[in-house]
Amino acid sequence: MKTIVILALLPFVSLAALADKFEGLALSPPMGWNSWNTFGCDIDEGLIKTIADKMVASGMRDAGYQYINIDDCWHGERDENGFIQADKTRFPSGIKALADYVHSKGLKLGIYSDAGNKTCGGRPGSNGHEYQDAIQYARWGIDYLKYDWCNTENLSAPGAYRTMRDALAAAGRPVVLSICEWGDNKPWLWGKEMGHLWRTTGDIINCWDCEVDHGSWSSWGILRILDMQDGLRQYAGPDHWNDPDMMEVGNGMSEHEDRAHFSIWAMLAAPLIAGNDLRSMSKSTQKILTHSEVIAVNQDALGVQAFKYKTQNDVEIWFKPLQDKQWAMMILNRGDKKAGVSFDWRNENVVDPDFPGNGQFYTAGFANSRYKIFDLWANKSAGTTKSSLRVSVEPHAVKLYRLEKITSEIH
Ligand code: GLA
């Protein structure tokens, strides 16, 4: 009798072992918008539709933003069969209709759930309903799932994310899985198998360099989040990204800070998920979010994160290897005073400390190769590496360059 039972279970066991994440959905860092940073729980279908409209009208879709992600609090109750329903007051037409609308604009729709019994906002979580929820998302036409980690006492993080990965695979609709457990269980060590991106930190907040203490957790400003990425770059790459959280561009910081924030996210090959109110964004915010050359640094096909090359007082110099032997360079002034920076290319030995490209570590070789320099935010060429770079960088600001090799072996 025992043998019969075991044999009968075998096909299911092997099927489960075969389940995989959907490969190839995030070969470059995902780009989109998410409701949480600006709207919290105050969301409804009218808002989401208008945001989709604005994504198109603002040029963001054409700049590469794809996902409209509904965060926490869209949920109603489960129906009598256990299937999750949207909040009927806020989403009276239902999520399927919303997905159809978003798809008709050439965009994709994301949704949010939680591995525990309840979401962080106290709505129904997916614990014990993973396969049903995945089926429901597939029926609705969902393309992206952010899966949070509140109320998960006694759950194993790799286990819980694996279950949702397998549930999505079983439901059959390709969905980007965004792991959101704040870096608590080192998702960079196991997240690649389960999903396409993983949060590395607690929540972001719209300040340059602060911690806001909420008691049992804190939210973090831009520089704090940047510093927490230390040591993680070797774990990220195409289809498996470190996620330093959704952006706060356009949410109240200065223009210099917003530009620096966007540049840092570009250099980190971070998912570019805008978190501002697209209905009322300023021209300057729109220009930052749609800057094609900066986006190209982020989306570069090598998929290698930048490394910090040098620190001089408040100034940090970062390099990111790009395809075709190009490089991006960021000079970040963290401090409150203007900083003069001089960089003598011939004396700098820029070698990627972690990533061997084609068997050899990416090496810039400024001593015997010459590069053209493009100042990305100024949208202009800035000479070559023949002579030293001398710039002054405003407080809380960056200079961002792309370096294109023009000659090798100059002596
Ligand atoms: C957590 C996540 C946030 C957001 C909220 C929603 O704090 O880290 O990004 O999704 O939950 O409640």
Side-chain angles (χ1 to χ4, degrees):
M1 185 62 186
K2 234 183 204 159
T3 342
I4 294 166
V5 171
I6 290 167
L7 279 181
L9 281 174
L10 261 182
F12 296 100
V13 172
S14 56
L15 255 187
L18 279 178
D20 240 337
K21 80 177 190 191
F22 290 98
E23 303 279 351
L25 296 184
L27 294 177
S28 55
M31 294 175 66
W33 176 90
N34 174 294
S35 54
W36 184 255
N37 285 357
T38 295
F39 297 99
C41 280
D42 192 12
I43 52 174
D44 58 44
E45 63 185 37
L47 172 75
I48 302 297
K49 283 165 105 172
T50 313
I51 295 288
D53 296 344
K54 292 290 174 188
M55 191 84 125
V56 178
S58 64
M60 285 178 71
R61 180 192 64 184
D62 293 344
Y65 294 83
Q66 252 192 317
Y67 296 99
I68 302 282
N69 292 344
I70 311 172
D71 207 279
D72 206 349
C73 304
W74 58 269
H75 321 67
E77 298 299 317
R78 293 186 179 278
D79 69 12
E80 61 281 10
N81 297 317
F83 283 99
I84 188 73
Q85 306 297 311
D87 178 323
K88 289 200 167 50
T89 323
R90 287 177 175 262
F91 294 86
S93 319
I95 305 292
K96 170 84 173 76
L98 193 50
D100 289 346
Y101 185 84
V102 167
H103 291 152
S104 77
K105 301 279 161 184
L107 296 164
K108 297 184 166 174
L109 188 67
I111 212 161
Y112 163 101
S113 189
D114 187 289
N117 295 326
K118 279 188 181 343
T119 70
C120 299
R123 309 303 163 107
S126 289
N127 191 11
H129 290 275
E130 295 87 351
Y131 280 74
Q132 257 189 324
D133 285 355
I135 288 170
Q136 190 73 317
Y137 303 153
R139 284 181 187 149
W140 286 341
I142 293 295
D143 307 294
Y144 185 113
L145 172 65
K146 173 173 166 184
Y147 201 46
D148 215 340
W149 192 239
C150 278
N151 309 303
T152 50
E153 294 72 25
N154 304 322
L155 286 182
S156 127
Y161 285 94
R162 178 182 283 115
T163 303
M164 186 43 96
R165 174 200 72 184
D166 292 349
L168 293 169
R173 181 179 172 87
V175 170
V176 171
L177 180 54
S178 156
I179 297 170
C180 177
E181 59 75 84
W182 322 305
D184 284 6
N185 300 277
K186 297 194 169 64
W188 42 89
L189 297 180
W190 46 265
K192 181 180 177 181
E193 256 181 76
M194 318 300 173
H196 303 86
L197 58 157
W198 50 80
R199 282 275 296 278
T200 52
T201 71
D203 289 4
I204 196 169
I205 192 149
N206 56 342
C207 64
W208 182 242
D209 187 10
C210 69
E211 173 184 354
V212 177
D213 186 351
H214 304 278
S216 59
W217 60 286
S218 287
S219 35
W220 308 95
I222 307 307
L223 293 184
R224 301 299 180 97
I225 291 205
L226 171 62
D227 294 344
M228 291 178 209
Q229 309 309 310
D230 199 26
L232 300 185
R233 68 187 289 269
Q234 70 262 33
Y235 300 109
D239 237 14
H240 55 282
W241 306 102
N242 286 315
D243 174 8
D245 207 358
M246 306 163 305
M247 295 186 289
E248 293 282 12
V249 174
N251 282 345
M253 290 187 290
S254 74
E255 191 170 336
H256 277 308
E257 290 170 338
D258 272 355
R259 229 181 268 146
H261 170 22
F262 195 66
S263 305
I264 293 168
W265 262 232
M267 292 294 279
L268 291 176
L272 295 181
I273 309 293
N276 57 313
D277 187 347
L278 304 191
R279 300 170 308 177
S280 57
M281 74 177 146
S282 66
K283 262 264 159 298
S284 126
T285 298
Q286 181 184 356
K287 270 188 157 168
I288 294 171
L289 289 173
T290 57
H291 196 296
S292 58
E293 286 264 16
V294 181
I295 292 173
V297 168
N298 173 269
Q299 296 283 297
D300 183 81
L302 275 190
V304 174
Q305 274 185 226
F307 56 90
K308 196 191 320 181
Y309 171 66
K310 223 181 199 180
T311 306
Q312 293 164 333
N313 303 318
D314 284 336
V315 171
E316 291 176 0
I317 299 184
W318 290 72
F319 281 94
K320 180 184 197 286
L322 304 176
Q323 64 182 346
D324 302 329
K325 301 203 163 117
Q326 300 189 35
W327 290 80
M329 176 193 196
M330 175 174 74
I331 307 178
L332 166 66
N333 181 4
R334 303 168 63 110
D336 299 332
K337 290 197 219 94
K338 212 180 219 190
V341 178
S342 149
F343 195 80
D344 182 1
W345 304 98
R346 283 160 310 178
N347 297 326
E348 305 290 348
N349 186 24
V350 175
V351 181
D352 189 309
D354 303 302
F355 272 98
N358 300 327
Q360 279 192 322
F361 286 91
Y362 296 109
T363 304
F366 294 125
N368 49 24
S369 306
R370 189 162 300 153
Y371 290 73
K372 264 197 273 185
I373 309 172
F374 297 94
D375 181 332
L376 300 186
W377 287 114
N379 286 311
K380 63 175 197 208
S381 133
T384 73
T385 53
K386 187 173 176 196
S387 43
S388 300
L389 181 73
R390 283 174 211 289
V391 283
S392 91
V393 189
E394 297 293 322
H396 300 193
V398 295
K399 290 281 181 184
L400 189 65
Y401 302 106
R402 186 167 54 79
L403 307 170
E404 191 182 310
K405 202 175 204 170
I406 40 177
T407 30
S408 294
E409 310 212 0
I410 41 170
H411 297 287

